[in-house]
Amino acid sequence: MASFFKESPSMSNLLTFYASISTLSMIIRTILNEIVPRRARDFFTKKFIDFFSNYFADFTFVIEDRWQAVPNETFRAVEIYLPTRISSDTRSLILGNNDNNNITGLPKSNMPTDSKVIDEFENMRLEWILKEKETNQTFHYSRKRYFNLTCKKRDRDRVMKEYIPQVCRTAKSILDQREKLYIYTYDDHWVSTVFKHPATFKTLALDSSLKNSIIDDLNLFCQRKEYFQSVGRAWKRGYLLYGPPGTGKSTLVAAIANYLRFNIYDLQLQNVKNDAELRRVLTATANRSILLIEDIDCSTKARARGSARDIVRRDGSNRDDDRSDNKRSFDPGVTLSGLLNFIDGLWSTCGDERIIIFTTNYKEKIDPALLRPGRMDVPIYMGYCSPAGFRNLASTYLSIEDHLLFNCIDDLIKRIEITPAEVAQHLMKFGDPKIALESLIKYLRMKEIAKEGNGTERAEEDEVIKQEEVKFIAKEHLKVVCGKQGGKDGDVREEDEISRSIYLS
Ligand SMILES: Nc1ncnc2c1ncn2[C@@H]1O[C@H](COP(=O)(O)OP(=O)(O)OP(=O)(O)O)[C@@H](O)[C@H]1O
């Protein structure tokens, strides 16, 4: 302490030093005022101040959730990236889990509104804040979310050219590695849930040439961003899946989603009030996704575009059934032209890497305008089960590649129309492959008999099949569970008893 006082300058020394500096600065100022013209002095002063304010002042980027009427992909990238930068000293977090298959699963965390996340990138300090504000649109309030990104003013260009691209790249790689897919349904707004469908192209019962051509088409589509740009077309692909119920249209959609790792937006057009809402709904979907509109023939009863008949009501009925002008003006419904506008009209270029899938059981009922080339690029007929499809299902459901009964089933399947759903249902019934295959043969034979019985009504046909089926199950039940072979009178009665109880249940 003593040495400190000894070495520290005395008060008089300090005053002398201050006086000398003041005198020196006055002399310099006087000389400068004498020899440097005023305008030059102002110029240098401004430069000096600019330099320091640029060096130390802050600059804020605002990244809103929408950009020119469509979702802002930069905002989405930041939303994906930021949770990875939340540090342990954060003061609050949002927690949640939208995996309804796993309610005990670990929740995900995210940053709450108005909280800060500090990031660092190549010696720059970046401060993120998520903000929210209500906007008053013509008839309704909506919430607008945006990020404020604050950096030093001097770093502005580097943030734009280096940091933001890095954020987007990281978000993309997170999306690419994303384990979970989501399926969104629309009812006033999009609601998501985790999509866990086991369907893959391997488990799909479809002729291998068709399967391979779909896979090739998807691969080509994903690789052709530049091509679509160069020919001036939206980077979209439209698939129309048509065929009888139970032939795997929904299963194919699930296989495509699993293959591309795309989320699915499952849209029921009946839930959308009008074209304006349709536009809002469709532009709120993200890139790299599938837009699925099932049973399009039921949703668009339209024939003539732009006319009253072109309108799809919320309840699915056609608009020209309704003579009420009041209702018309308030609930005009979705028009076919509104839908087409998004598929290949002016709004089609909103968004990239989109797959649009329509499904129908009745292709002939669809408005030809929807089928025009360029709208639905790939029509895919999902037909009845073929021998190859059956083998695929046998491999999936029974884990067998071959069996003595296969040839018999092949012959029957070539003659009788059976959907993959029906085949799958039979193969699932029994654990023992032989019993499952015999049950399928029995079912196919019954179908054949019912088909040959002239004039048999469909309901009767189904009844005969069902009765025969339960008899077969009862017989197998006796064989497997009770070890009985059947044939005796008592067994037949017991069989009938079991049949009755299964049938009634
Ligand atoms: N081609 C197929 N490959 C594998 N499984 C199939 C196939 N077709 C149907 N299935 C099975 O049948 C069930 C019903 O099929 P799916 O819902 O995909 O048929 P769909 O053609 O979409 O029927 P709908 O027209 O009634 O909607 C599925 O759960 C699936 O297990």
Side-chain angles (χ1 to χ4, degrees):
M1 199 58 124
S3 69
F4 173 78
F5 283 116
K6 209 169 155 189
E7 283 165 19
S8 59
S10 67
M11 200 55 165
S12 65
N13 281 349
L14 279 176
L15 284 173
T16 315
F17 179 71
Y18 174 73
S20 328
I21 292 290
S22 308
T23 318
L24 186 67
S25 75
M26 268 169 62
I27 293 168
I28 293 173
R29 228 180 315 157
T30 316
I31 295 170
L32 283 177
N33 283 347
E34 288 295 319
I35 59 171
V36 182
R38 187 185 170 80
R39 284 183 60 191
R41 274 202 325 268
D42 289 349
F43 175 79
F44 285 118
T45 315
K46 188 172 175 303
K47 282 279 160 203
F48 184 76
I49 292 169
D50 280 356
F51 172 77
F52 275 96
S53 66
N54 262 348
Y55 203 82
F56 293 110
D58 283 344
F59 183 86
T60 300
F61 291 93
V62 179
I63 302 169
E64 296 185 339
D65 55 355
R66 290 180 79 80
W67 177 259
Q68 295 174 346
V70 294
N72 184 352
E73 291 302 322
T74 313
F75 179 91
R76 214 167 90 78
V78 175
E79 252 191 333
I80 294 164
Y81 168 81
L82 271 193
T84 67
R85 312 304 296 169
I86 295 174
S87 69
S88 53
D89 54 2
T90 188
R91 294 196 172 185
S92 62
L93 280 177
I94 294 181
L95 283 189
N97 171 16
N98 60 353
D99 186 351
N100 57 8
N101 296 311
N102 182 14
I103 53 169
T104 54
L106 272 186
K108 293 263 161 52
S109 60
N110 210 337
M111 62 189 286
T113 316
D114 289 330
S115 70
K116 260 186 218 167
V117 169
I118 306 294
D119 193 14
E120 285 194 359
F121 178 76
E122 297 187 354
N123 297 326
M124 293 187 286
R125 184 179 186 276
L126 296 313
E127 185 182 291
W128 289 96
I129 302 183
L130 174 62
K131 296 270 184 192
E132 205 169 273
K133 70 176 172 204
E134 283 208 331
T135 56
N136 184 1
Q137 297 194 337
T138 323
F139 289 117
H140 65 282
Y141 282 90
S142 70
R143 282 183 316 159
K144 180 183 267 218
R145 296 191 308 145
Y146 58 98
F147 285 105
N148 277 352
L149 165 60
T150 307
C151 61
K152 287 291 167 220
K153 211 168 170 188
R154 63 176 184 269
D155 293 330
R156 195 178 71 171
D157 286 351
R158 282 177 63 214
V159 169
M160 292 265 287
K161 290 184 187 141
E162 294 167 32
Y163 177 63
I164 296 287
Q166 164 68 19
V167 168
C168 296
R169 276 195 299 273
T170 313
K172 184 168 185 313
S173 76
I174 292 170
L175 278 183
D176 289 346
Q177 291 161 18
R178 176 174 57 188
E179 284 169 21
K180 284 181 185 148
L181 294 181
Y182 293 88
I183 182 160
Y184 296 80
T185 46
Y186 182 78
D187 190 6
D188 274 348
H189 58 279
W190 286 112
V191 182
S192 74
T193 184
V194 173
F195 179 69
K196 267 193 188 165
H197 197 297
T200 60
F201 277 104
K202 188 166 179 282
T203 62
L204 194 69
L206 207 60
D207 285 340
S208 50
S209 58
L210 179 55
K211 218 187 272 190
N212 290 336
S213 69
I214 298 172
I215 296 174
D216 290 346
D217 191 74
L218 292 170
N219 288 339
L220 194 63
F221 169 72
C222 290
Q223 293 157 12
R224 292 181 110 187
K225 181 178 183 175
E226 282 77 26
Y227 174 78
F228 276 87
Q229 265 168 1
S230 68
V231 295
R233 290 184 63 136
W235 191 15
K236 283 199 168 101
R237 195 87 176 138
Y239 290 85
L240 173 71
L241 312 185
Y242 64 100
T247 48
K249 295 179 289 296
S250 311
T251 313
L252 175 57
V253 175
I256 293 176
N258 284 330
Y259 181 73
L260 295 178
R261 308 298 299 156
F262 278 15
N263 293 330
I264 300 176
Y265 289 89
D266 183 4
L267 181 63
Q268 308 266 326
L269 282 184
Q270 288 83 356
N271 288 346
V272 184
K273 284 192 217 73
N274 49 37
D275 286 350
E277 188 181 358
L278 180 69
R279 224 169 15 244
R280 202 159 41 79
V281 167
L282 295 180
T283 54
T285 59
N287 288 346
R288 289 174 63 76
S289 64
I290 295 170
L291 171 68
L292 171 65
I293 301 182
E294 290 207 87
D295 299 319
I296 186 75
D297 54 291
C298 305
S299 310
T300 56
K301 291 186 175 173
R303 289 284 173 271
R305 286 178 68 190
S307 71
R309 304 184 64 200
D310 184 30
I311 286 168
V312 187
R313 292 281 312 281
R314 271 166 84 75
D315 58 6
S317 64
N318 208 329
R319 155 88 176 271
D320 53 359
D321 298 341
D322 190 350
R323 303 274 167 231
S324 152
D325 279 336
N326 278 345
K327 246 189 172 173
R328 250 177 225 186
S329 54
F330 288 115
D331 186 9
V334 172
T335 66
L336 181 61
S337 42
L339 188 59
L340 295 179
N341 207 350
F342 189 80
I343 296 170
D344 73 345
L346 289 178
W347 285 84
S348 66
T349 45
C350 301
D352 268 340
E353 227 177 343
R354 309 286 183 102
I355 305 262
I356 299 172
I357 302 181
F358 289 154
T359 73
T360 178
N361 294 333
Y362 308 99
K363 188 181 170 206
E364 63 286 355
K365 286 192 189 169
I366 299 179
D367 192 299
L370 262 176
L371 303 177
R372 209 195 71 185
R375 285 184 177 147
M376 289 293 100
D377 304 287
V378 192
I380 299 172
Y381 174 64
M382 303 291 290
Y384 290 105
C385 197
S386 65
F390 156 68
R391 278 155 200 267
N392 208 320
L393 290 170
S395 161
T396 307
Y397 287 91
L398 301 174
S399 308
I400 53 170
E401 302 303 323
D402 204 0
H403 195 279
L404 280 176
L405 294 174
F406 272 15
N407 285 341
C408 170
I409 293 175
D410 284 353
D411 283 347
L412 285 164
I413 277 182
K414 279 181 205 158
R415 293 200 304 273
I416 300 151
E417 287 179 342
I418 184 169
T419 62
E422 289 171 290
V423 174
Q425 193 192 2
H426 278 269
L427 300 186
M428 278 167 69
K429 253 186 219 159
F430 303 98
D432 182 336
K434 182 167 175 282
I435 300 173
L437 295 176
E438 279 172 356
S439 146
L440 178 61
I441 291 173
K442 184 112 187 157
Y443 180 76
L444 281 161
R445 289 208 170 120
M446 287 316 304
K447 269 197 123 180
E448 193 172 35
I449 292 166
K451 194 177 154 202
E452 281 165 3
N454 288 339
T456 311
E457 292 296 322
R458 176 85 201 172
E460 285 173 27
E461 193 180 299
D462 288 346
E463 186 65 11
V464 173
I465 293 171
K466 193 174 173 194
Q467 281 177 15
E468 283 302 321
E469 233 185 296
V470 290
K471 270 191 200 160
F472 181 81
I473 294 171
K475 208 171 184 174
E476 292 307 325
H477 178 78
L478 277 178
K479 265 197 226 165
V480 176
V481 179
C482 315
K484 296 187 180 179
Q485 292 306 308
K488 293 183 200 141
D489 277 358
D491 291 344
V492 171
R493 269 199 304 281
E494 205 174 335
E495 246 175 67
D496 284 347
E497 209 44 51
I498 297 173
S499 304
R500 243 193 315 280
S501 67
I502 295 174
Y503 189 78
L504 289 175
S505 70

